[in-house]
Amino acid sequence: MIPASDTRQRWLAVIRLSLRDWGGLTTLVFAGYLATYCLWLIVGWGGPERRDLINDVAILPLGLAAAVLPWRLSVMRALDTRSRRAWRLISVAYAVYLLADLIWSYYELVLHSSAFPSPADVPFITFYPLLFVALLMFPTAPRSSAGKTKFGLDAAMILLGSGMVLWHFVLRPITLQYDNDLTMVALSLAYPVGSIALLAGLIFIHLRESDQRSRGALRLLMAGLLLQVANDTIFAYLSLTDAYYSGHWSDSLYMASRFAVVAAAQYQFARASLLGPAARVVRPMPAGRPFSVLPYASLASGYALLLIVAHDQLTRPLGNLILAAVAMTALVVARQFTALRENARLLAEAATRQSEARFAALIQNSSDVIAIMDLDTTIRYESPAGLRVFGHAPADVIGVRLTDGFPADDLHHLQAFLSRLTRRPRATAQGEWRMRHPDGSWRYYVTIGANLLDEPNVRGLVLNTRDVTERRALEDQIRHQAFHDPLTGLANRALVKEHIEHALTRAQRSGDRPAILFLDLDDFKTVNDSLGHAVGDALLTGVASRLRDCVRAGDTVARLGGDEFVILLDDTGRGDEAVPVARKALDALRHPFAINDKQIHVGVSIGIAAGDPGVDDADTLLRNADVAMYDAKSRGKSRYAVYHPGMYAAVVERMELEADLRRAVERGEFVLHYQPIVDLSGGRMTGVEALVRWQHPVRGLIPPLSFISAAEETGLIVPLGRWVLFEACREIQRWRDLYPEMAPLSMSVNLSGRQLQHAEIVDDVAAALAETGLNPHALVLEITESVMMQDTEAAITKLHAIKALGVRLAIDDFGTGYSSLSYLQRFPVDILKVDKSFLDNLGVGAERSDLAQAIIALGHTLNLQTVAEGIEHADQLDRLRVLRCDSGQGYLFSRPVDGAAIEALLLGVSDSLTDPREYLPRAG
């Protein structure tokens, strides 16, 4: 886009665009065409016998171009509607004039007639009102009532003055020549009257203001119409005196007027194309325009004509009066010109005073401090805003050098700023620094300076200063938020990665390698799901606080998101030097967190990785630590592991396992095996425990220890547990139907913590019972003590709801966790299952034997059934009978087997069986 104020650039842009446009090339061709025509008028090539032919034919191409190029503007969307309509009517007017030229040429060249009037006069005369209306259609500038009156008076003076000249030299001679033929008089007068109309249209165009896309084009159009009026006037005068002939020099005015119209249309097209369809801006006419002298010029022409006509009367009394009137009028005009100049001066002074007052008001109320200082930084002026911005009165710093009170730490910044500012006249520079405010706080300022030493009214360096303390604080806040976790205030992923990259770069020079600890909280989702996100957030904040206490001041603790944290230990040398920090973190998080009157335990799995050679970026180091963390989690959680390359393959294998596990749930690749539960006193099988196995299509039968933890972490344990529940209920009901004599047979199904948290667990149990028709008492759901550790009202509510269905509840692996008598009282349990670890030394006087005895006795006291797990030896069985344990299961009776094997066992058991050791041989 070319600035409208840059005339040279504007014209160059118009020329460049025109040279690429057919209209511009046409205009350029016709410029040469006009020059050739003028040269022909001078040389007179072809002689008088060919003068009419050449002249009549020569006018036609320019006439055609004057009709075509304005029409192109009439369909150009970059122009406003009124301008398009005006150019369209101009195109029609010149098309009508071209028709008149064709008719005239036909009469003159073919019929050899120059008769007046002729059919050509109709389109000739029609041309003038069409063009006059077109000129009136251009948009006008807004005017006040006084402005409209002045415009009318100026227009009347111009028309009257020019009309006097036309009347004397053209109109009056025509009326005298054709005084007896009114038709000839009217037809002859139509041409000069049309010229007067065009002159009025020109006045209308000139005394209005156009937008920047039309101003130059309208001036060219005005020039063309003035040439048209001049040519018509000269032609009429020459015709009256019989001095006109085809090819007269005045015809060049006619050709030039057509070319001016063509040039105006092309210029308008180029300007509108460059500026685009911007909103039209029409400004009021400024005072003192040069053409405001036109009324006075018209007045002068009228008096000149009067003096010419009355030249023989000037020595007589009437002539003396005429001369006196002319002199008086000249004096009045001179006085008015003087008054106008004085008014213009007064208006300019008033505008200056108004501008100065406006400037002073702006300075007084500006939020910025404006100061002027000498080259040696002595302050000569400071605006009133200095009291608010700097805290001191402006008068207190006048005559003080800026460098004297500037902070020493930032003085070099000021010197660099001044160096840039004084490098050359009119130079500008910007600086930012801090200064001590009288209230004791540090404030930050931005100063924009301008070198006006060569400006006579300034003669100094102008400084514009504003307080940006709040902006700096906001920027710091935004920067902190961009690189810190909003919950814990720790560094976020972006910042810790940046620190890791810097540490790795330094390590290439120093040789001391950084190490990172990747920490992931164990079972944090359980806390969020059971206690709510507010408690989870409080727990994360507490973890962050304890982790900060585990590191040095130069180390970085970050939260990557969720329950993942990273500790960057800079310059540790080797990864194993991070082990003490990992142990410290484990110890710090081992103690419970007190949140909302609850004691919440949380473990953490930690992966350690060092920035060894070959680890050149943060992503690789984080990935290695993440792999080590997964290794620690897979080996039992709440521990740490140091990364070694072999871990990556294990992680990939686990990821493949999880992917296969998802497909296995969808394809139903799981089967159930069952381990019998035997009444220890009577030797009868009273129930079975359902144990899930994965029948992998490639790896074969996979035991639960290989995939249950992955199912828990991925959440697949919920659909898998639902399938186990339904399948176990169907199988036990089928066996109860097939073997009515075994009606008391029960089915034990393990229920994970994730399943118990699931909102639909109660509905799933009810649906399984309803779908299979199983007696609820025949179903035993086993929960581990980890579920009891949560001590949540939601879990207790769900267990009571399940209990209300008639289902029995058992605590599995009792005694291995954080057992409490209060848990047994609050949870509606029916069965205690004694863990295998308490049976290993049973009967040999060990402490764990006493614990087994205590657990069984506790069950009897609380009226709970006791079941011993992992019975493998006969002496264990004998001891359990002595302790009066109700039931048991283990390899002594049977390993977990499929449903067909259980049916074989059922068929082989008799009512008289008293010794479970007879059970295995008979089961085959």
Side-chain angles (χ1 to χ4, degrees):
M1 196 69 68
I2 302 299
S5 59
D6 193 338
T7 305
R8 181 174 177 272
Q9 292 294 326
R10 184 170 69 246
W11 276 101
L12 289 176
V14 168
I15 292 172
R16 284 195 296 267
L17 188 145
S18 297
L19 291 177
R20 299 192 301 268
D21 174 59
W22 66 266
L25 295 176
T26 300
T27 304
L28 186 62
V29 168
F30 276 114
Y33 184 84
L34 176 61
T36 303
Y37 177 81
C38 293
L39 181 64
W40 171 76
L41 288 178
I42 296 173
V43 175
W45 177 83
E49 62 275 7
R50 297 198 177 187
R51 183 179 58 203
D52 292 345
L53 174 62
I54 294 175
N55 194 59
D56 289 345
V57 173
I59 64 176
L60 298 179
L62 260 175
L64 178 62
V68 172
L69 266 69
W71 182 264
R72 182 170 68 155
L73 291 174
S74 69
V75 295
M76 191 176 190
R77 293 297 177 185
L79 293 179
D80 61 275
T81 303
R82 293 191 62 179
S83 296
R84 292 202 304 270
R85 291 174 180 173
W87 284 107
R88 183 180 296 117
L89 201 54
I90 290 174
S91 173
V92 172
Y94 279 98
V96 169
Y97 208 101
L98 177 63
L99 175 63
D101 281 337
L102 289 171
I103 296 174
W104 175 263
S105 298
Y106 174 78
Y107 269 81
E108 189 171 52
L109 299 177
V110 178
L111 301 181
H112 303 288
S113 172
S114 298
F116 177 76
S118 73
D121 292 305
V122 176
F124 273 136
I125 294 173
T126 305
F127 165 78
Y128 294 99
L130 288 175
L131 198 56
F132 176 72
V133 173
L135 296 176
L136 295 182
M137 291 180 71
F138 281 104
T140 59
R143 288 190 181 90
S144 62
S145 299
K148 293 178 181 178
T149 302
K150 180 179 180 298
F151 169 76
L153 293 174
D154 288 346
M157 291 176 64
I158 296 171
L159 289 175
L160 185 59
S162 58
M164 290 173 58
V165 176
L166 284 173
W167 168 258
H168 181 76
F169 291 105
V170 178
L171 299 180
R172 182 173 176 275
I174 289 175
T175 57
L176 294 175
Q177 183 176 359
Y178 302 110
D179 57 346
N180 295 325
D181 192 342
L182 295 180
T183 301
M184 292 296 293
V185 170
L187 192 61
S188 300
L189 291 177
Y191 287 95
V193 170
S195 296
I196 294 175
L198 288 186
L199 189 61
L202 287 173
I203 297 170
F204 176 80
I205 286 183
H206 180 73
L207 296 180
R208 61 173 294 282
E209 181 68 15
S210 60
D211 69 290
Q212 58 186 358
R213 290 166 295 178
S214 303
R215 191 175 302 121
L218 290 182
R219 288 172 181 169
L220 286 171
L221 181 63
M222 288 170 57
L225 297 183
L226 283 173
L227 290 173
Q228 175 77 36
V229 171
N231 176 68
D232 288 346
T233 304
I234 295 173
F235 175 78
Y237 179 77
L238 294 176
S239 297
L240 289 173
T241 58
D242 292 328
Y244 176 78
Y245 56 87
S246 184
H248 190 271
W249 66 267
S250 62
D251 289 340
S252 62
L253 300 179
Y254 172 83
M255 296 288 282
S257 73
R258 293 301 182 273
F259 176 76
V261 173
V262 172
Q266 176 56 30
Y267 183 81
Q268 176 71 92
F269 177 83
R271 289 292 291 146
S273 299
L274 287 172
L275 295 177
R280 180 177 59 88
V281 178
V282 179
R283 296 181 298 275
M285 183 187 70
R289 287 173 58 95
F291 267 73
S292 61
V293 301
L294 279 178
Y296 304 103
S298 299
L299 178 65
S301 65
Y303 274 111
L305 179 61
L306 176 62
L307 293 175
I308 293 173
V309 173
H311 68 279
D312 56 346
Q313 300 290 328
L314 294 180
T315 57
R316 300 179 182 181
L318 179 61
N320 295 334
L321 292 176
I322 293 174
L323 288 174
V326 171
M328 290 179 63
T329 303
L331 292 174
V332 170
V333 171
R335 184 181 184 282
Q336 187 168 2
F337 266 113
T338 302
L340 286 175
R341 293 187 61 183
E342 179 65 15
N343 288 340
R345 185 185 65 80
L346 293 176
L347 287 173
E349 290 179 356
T352 300
R353 287 194 299 270
Q354 183 179 7
S355 177
E356 291 175 349
R358 185 184 300 114
F359 178 75
L362 290 174
I363 293 297
Q364 291 289 334
N365 297 281
S366 174
S367 60
D368 295 353
V369 178
I370 299 175
I372 301 175
M373 68 181 186
D374 295 329
L375 191 59
D376 64 351
T377 74
T378 299
I379 299 173
R380 298 203 325 258
Y381 170 81
E382 185 177 274
S383 65
L387 179 61
R388 179 179 51 79
V389 176
F390 295 130
H392 59 244
D396 296 341
V397 297
I398 302 301
V400 178
R401 295 179 63 180
L402 179 62
T403 52
D404 293 342
F406 213 79
D409 294 342
D410 293 336
L411 192 58
H412 64 285
H413 293 303
L414 176 62
Q415 291 171 346
F417 169 79
L418 294 174
S419 175
R420 296 193 303 272
L421 189 60
T422 57
R423 189 172 301 165
R424 64 181 184 279
R426 303 285 173 168
T428 60
Q430 178 172 325
E432 183 169 348
W433 30 68
R434 59 173 189 161
M435 296 182 68
R436 179 76 74 175
H437 195 270
D439 63 7
S441 64
W442 283 100
R443 301 288 182 90
Y444 291 88
Y445 301 97
V446 168
T447 298
I448 299 176
N451 184 347
L452 298 183
L453 290 169
D454 63 335
E455 174 62 44
N457 296 322
V458 180
R459 297 293 184 186
L461 303 175
V462 179
L463 306 180
N464 191 303
T465 304
R466 67 175 53 186
D467 188 338
V468 294
T469 304
E470 293 183 0
R471 190 195 75 185
R472 282 285 300 267
L474 180 60
E475 289 175 353
D476 292 342
Q477 180 183 352
I478 293 173
R479 190 179 299 109
H480 184 273
Q481 291 175 350
F483 291 104
H484 290 81
D485 174 49
L487 176 63
T488 63
L490 299 178
N492 63 8
R493 181 184 293 271
L495 183 57
V496 76
K497 285 183 66 175
E498 181 179 318
H499 286 186
I500 293 172
E501 295 287 357
H502 290 166
L504 291 172
T505 302
R506 289 194 303 270
Q508 294 176 356
R509 299 190 300 266
S510 65
D512 289 333
R513 311 297 294 182
I516 64 171
L517 285 72
F518 197 109
L519 302 90
D520 184 89
L521 301 185
D522 297 330
D523 303 317
F524 176 74
K525 189 176 187 305
T526 303
V527 176
N528 255 355
D529 293 343
S530 58
L531 301 180
H533 288 279
V535 175
D537 290 346
L539 178 60
L540 291 173
T541 303
V543 169
S545 178
R546 293 188 186 182
L547 291 180
R548 286 192 190 98
D549 297 335
C550 296
V551 299
R552 302 167 300 182
D555 298 328
T556 302
V557 182
R559 180 185 175 217
L560 299 188
D563 60 341
E564 293 181 339
F565 296 84
V566 163
I567 298 176
L568 169 63
L569 304 176
D570 208 354
D571 301 333
T572 59
R574 300 185 307 276
D576 56 2
E577 295 184 11
V579 170
V581 180
R583 290 174 179 165
K584 192 174 182 180
L586 287 170
D587 291 338
L589 299 182
R590 184 167 289 115
H591 303 287
F593 291 83
I595 301 174
N596 294 346
D597 299 328
K598 295 182 181 295
Q599 297 294 318
I600 299 177
H601 293 266
V602 63
V604 62
S605 299
I606 305 175
I608 302 173
D612 298 325
V615 178
D616 298 325
D617 60 85
D619 290 331
T620 302
L621 189 57
L622 285 170
R623 186 206 66 185
N624 293 347
D626 193 15
V627 168
M629 183 275 296
Y630 270 107
D631 179 75
K633 195 175 286 289
S634 66
R635 290 192 289 110
K637 303 180 181 179
S638 295
R639 64 187 67 213
Y640 66 86
V642 180
Y643 174 80
H644 60 80
M647 286 182 176
Y648 186 70
V651 169
V652 172
E653 182 181 356
R654 182 174 178 82
M655 293 176 60
E656 292 175 351
L657 174 66
E658 291 179 0
D660 288 347
L661 188 59
R662 293 183 184 277
R663 289 191 291 268
V665 172
E666 297 171 358
R667 298 172 183 174
E669 296 178 356
F670 296 95
V671 296
L672 289 183
H673 282 194
Y674 307 90
Q675 187 172 39
I677 299 174
V678 178
D679 178 19
L680 297 186
S681 62
R684 295 177 57 83
M685 184 170 66
T686 59
V688 294
E689 179 180 357
L691 302 169
V692 67
R693 303 289 188 268
W694 180 4
Q695 189 65 53
H696 195 281
V698 177
R699 300 167 59 184
L701 195 65
I702 300 177
L705 288 178
S706 300
F707 64 86
I708 287 298
S709 62
E712 288 273 4
E713 293 173 7
T714 58
L716 294 173
I717 194 67
V718 174
L720 176 58
R722 184 184 298 114
W723 176 84
V724 171
L725 177 64
F726 276 76
E727 184 66 19
C729 288
R730 276 193 293 268
E731 192 74 345
I732 191 64
Q733 181 60 34
R734 188 175 68 83
W735 291 337
R736 289 166 67 95
D737 291 339
L738 289 175
Y739 310 104
E741 69 279 6
M742 302 297 295
L745 196 66
S746 64
M747 175 65 73
S748 295
V749 178
N750 290 285
L751 193 66
S752 72
R754 183 69 68 87
Q755 284 180 275
L756 186 60
Q757 296 162 11
H758 192 59
E760 299 177 0
I761 182 60
V762 179
D763 295 335
D764 288 343
V765 175
L769 295 173
E771 182 177 312
T772 60
L774 180 65
N775 185 343
H777 191 72
L779 178 62
V780 178
L781 295 181
E782 299 184 4
I783 58 175
T784 62
E785 288 183 309
S786 62
V787 176
M788 298 171 64
M789 281 178 55
Q790 301 300 326
D791 191 21
T792 65
E793 296 300 327
I796 294 175
T797 301
K798 289 178 182 177
L799 290 176
H800 276 285
I802 294 173
K803 181 70 175 177
L805 298 175
V807 176
R808 291 182 290 166
L809 298 175
I811 296 181
D812 195 15
D813 301 331
F814 185 77
T816 59
Y818 298 89
S819 302
S820 170
L821 291 179
S822 63
Y823 290 136
L824 295 179
Q825 290 177 340
R826 297 187 65 191
F827 282 77
V829 297
D830 303 281
I831 302 169
L832 292 182
K833 299 193 73 172
V834 184
D835 187 72
K836 177 182 179 298
S837 62
F838 297 108
L839 305 184
D840 291 340
N841 298 313
L842 194 63
V844 295
E847 180 182 351
R848 298 188 74 83
S849 175
D850 295 336
L851 289 175
Q853 181 177 352
I855 293 172
I856 295 171
L858 177 63
H860 292 162
T861 302
L862 297 177
N863 293 321
L864 301 178
Q865 182 183 352
T866 55
V867 178
E869 297 181 290
I871 304 174
E872 297 180 353
H873 307 291
D875 52 352
Q876 292 175 330
L877 176 59
D878 293 338
R879 181 60 179 166
L880 288 170
R881 280 175 171 172
V882 172
L883 296 176
R884 292 188 301 129
C885 183
D886 298 314
S887 302
Q889 63 185 100
Y891 289 176
L892 178 63
F893 307 113
S894 173
R895 293 177 179 272
V897 294
D898 59 17
I902 291 294
E903 290 190 37
L905 292 174
L906 290 173
L907 290 173
V909 174
S910 66
D911 293 341
S912 61
L913 181 63
T914 58
D915 189 351
R917 285 172 289 188
E918 302 176 8
Y919 186 77
L920 280 177
R922 298 175 65 181

